[in-house]
Amino acid sequence: MLPIRSFAVVGAGIIGAAVARELTMKFPGVQVTVVEKEGRVAAHQTGHNSGVVHAGLYYEPGSLKALLCRRGVELVTDLAQKKNLPYEKCGKLVVALDSAEETRLHSIFERAKANGVPGVELLGPQGIKSIEPNAVGRLALHSPDTAIIDYAAVAQALIDDVLEAGGQLRLCCTVERISEQKTGVVLHTSEGEIRADHVIVCAGVQSDRLARGSGAQNQPRIVPFFGQYFQLEEEYRSILNGLVYPVPDPKYPFLGVHLTKRVDGQMTVGPNAFLSLSRENYRGLGLNARDFAEVLANPAFWKFAARNAPAAVREIRSVASKEFFLQQAAKYVPSLEGAKATRLTRGIRAQAMDQNGGLLDDFAIDYRAQTTHIRNAPSPGATSSMAIAQYIVENLQM
């Protein structure tokens, strides 16, 4: 095989930025070009998330998620310190309100210990009060190492390192399709052809389309779900010291409403999780005819919908009523009763779904001879981004 002289990375979100930086470190002197359709770095998922540096509590021990999350925490923390990025180790409580949730919380505690999450402990009502005086619950898992960060700033810092190492960033350049040839890979873009010896596609909500267009497997498909956050009014910014989360319910595919502190000191409530009518529209109805029609034409989505009707009922109430949304948060922090909040720009999750309507839980990477596709990188994808980059580069088929 001919030596690699050039790489192209599609997407300047946090994973694409991390992959590009890792390539410049692993292959010094090789040309690395990042191709991004928007006019700035971190324009989509990276710039619309909660900013939580997840410690690795929930994930199946030994899974790629669990392994890369713990490594990712170390890497992103080191980067924040070196680059002087906003970062706060504020801690997190996962709170059980009834006996059934207590049982599930004990299981999460065992997973967290198996994953090597430092400092985790179970606390009763008084222990909860000692960490979060305004929170209530029967039992809570405390994760003191959970932190918050500005992931858009992380992505920009990673891109800055790429540029400093001699790499290139092509903004406002949309990749329309990818073709593998004997002499390398051609990116067919809105700005003409870009050639490289190997391409790594980190395209988020567009990952399945670019994969199909380059001859990769048809599955999994992306189904977009939006998550709405609300910012509490100013008097509530210090109501918590850190984060307060519910215990995940296996009957529902997503986590549920929680309270998240941001690095700017504001307190947010969210997110809900509901089918998005588009992949990239963040305000209003957000309808994109092509995106919505593709979901409706996907038989796997209807299988998923049939199994998750109760979850849909719960989530539609939170979408329709801000008051109901805040009432859910007040179960954990009663002094939020009657609080006011403003709607923030929503985020859109690139959720991969298999042909049976199952949501892919772990990271999924499709290696081809000349092109590597990241097919699924759900939470904790941002936390794990630099570890994902290391894993991908180490396993390139070259």
Side-chain angles (χ1 to χ4, degrees), residues 79-231:
L79 184 78
Q81 292 172 346
K82 290 176 182 176
K83 301 287 187 178
N84 196 29
L85 301 175
Y87 179 93
E88 181 183 347
K89 191 183 290 187
C90 60
K92 167 180 169 179
L93 288 178
V94 182
V95 179
L97 300 179
D98 57 38
S99 59
E101 290 184 348
E102 285 187 41
T103 300
R104 297 201 300 272
L105 192 61
H106 279 284
S107 296
I108 294 171
F109 178 59
E110 294 303 320
R111 279 192 174 191
K113 290 194 298 181
N115 289 334
V117 180
V120 289
E121 59 179 338
L122 292 174
L123 305 173
Q126 292 307 309
I128 293 172
K129 290 291 185 185
S130 70
I131 302 296
E132 294 289 2
N134 291 312
V136 299
R138 292 173 50 144
L139 185 71
L141 186 158
H142 181 220
S143 170
D145 270 26
T146 297
I148 51 177
I149 200 168
D150 180 347
Y151 280 120
V154 173
Q156 186 61 61
L158 294 169
I159 288 293
D160 290 344
D161 281 354
V162 172
L163 299 176
E164 187 175 336
Q168 297 181 1
L169 174 63
R170 298 279 301 270
L171 297 174
C172 302
C173 185
T174 302
V175 177
E176 296 162 349
R177 63 186 179 90
I178 302 168
S179 59
E180 295 188 3
Q181 302 176 357
K182 291 182 179 180
T183 56
V185 188
V186 179
L187 301 182
H188 303 271
T189 83
S190 58
E191 302 300 310
E193 293 184 351
I194 298 174
R195 295 179 177 269
D197 294 319
H198 195 95
V199 172
I200 303 174
V201 183
C202 312
V205 290
Q206 305 295 343
S207 60
D208 59 334
R209 289 172 175 168
L210 282 177
R212 293 196 306 271
S214 65
Q217 296 180 2
N218 192 47
Q219 300 292 337
R221 304 287 290 272
I222 294 296
V223 174
F225 290 87
F226 75 76
Q228 180 69 63
Y229 279 88
F230 291 88
Q231 180 178 305

Side-chain angles (χ1 to χ4, degrees), residues 338-358:
K340 293 183 173 58
T342 56
R343 192 181 299 267
L344 297 173
T345 302
R346 67 175 66 121
I348 298 177
R349 174 175 178 164
Q351 177 60 59
M353 182 178 291
D354 64 28
Q355 59 189 356
N356 297 314

Side-chain angles (χ1 to χ4, degrees), residues 4 6-11 19-20 23 31-35 175 177-181 183-189 194-203 210-211 214 365-374 392-393 396-398:
I4 296 291
S6 59
F7 289 96
V9 177
V10 180
V19 167
L23 289 169
Q31 180 60 49
V32 176
T33 302
V34 182
V35 185
V175 177
R177 63 186 179 90
I178 302 168
S179 59
E180 295 188 3
Q181 302 176 357
T183 56
V185 188
V186 179
L187 301 182
H188 303 271
T189 83
I194 298 174
R195 295 179 177 269
D197 294 319
H198 195 95
V199 172
I200 303 174
V201 183
C202 312
L210 282 177
S214 65
I365 303 165
D366 184 356
Y367 292 101
R368 295 169 60 81
Q370 296 170 293
T371 310
T372 300
H373 295 270
I374 299 179
I392 287 172
V393 173
L396 286 178
Q397 303 297 306
M398 298 188 304

Side-chain angles (χ1 to χ4, degrees), residues 53-97:
V53 181
H54 293 282
L57 303 178
Y58 310 104
Y59 317 124
E60 184 67 33
S63 67
L64 204 54
K65 256 191 180 184
L67 296 172
L68 296 186
C69 181
R70 288 304 311 149
R71 177 63 177 150
V73 171
E74 298 173 3
L75 293 171
V76 78
T77 301
D78 288 347
L79 184 78
Q81 292 172 346
K82 290 176 182 176
K83 301 287 187 178
N84 196 29
L85 301 175
Y87 179 93
E88 181 183 347
K89 191 183 290 187
C90 60
K92 167 180 169 179
L93 288 178
V94 182
V95 179
L97 300 179

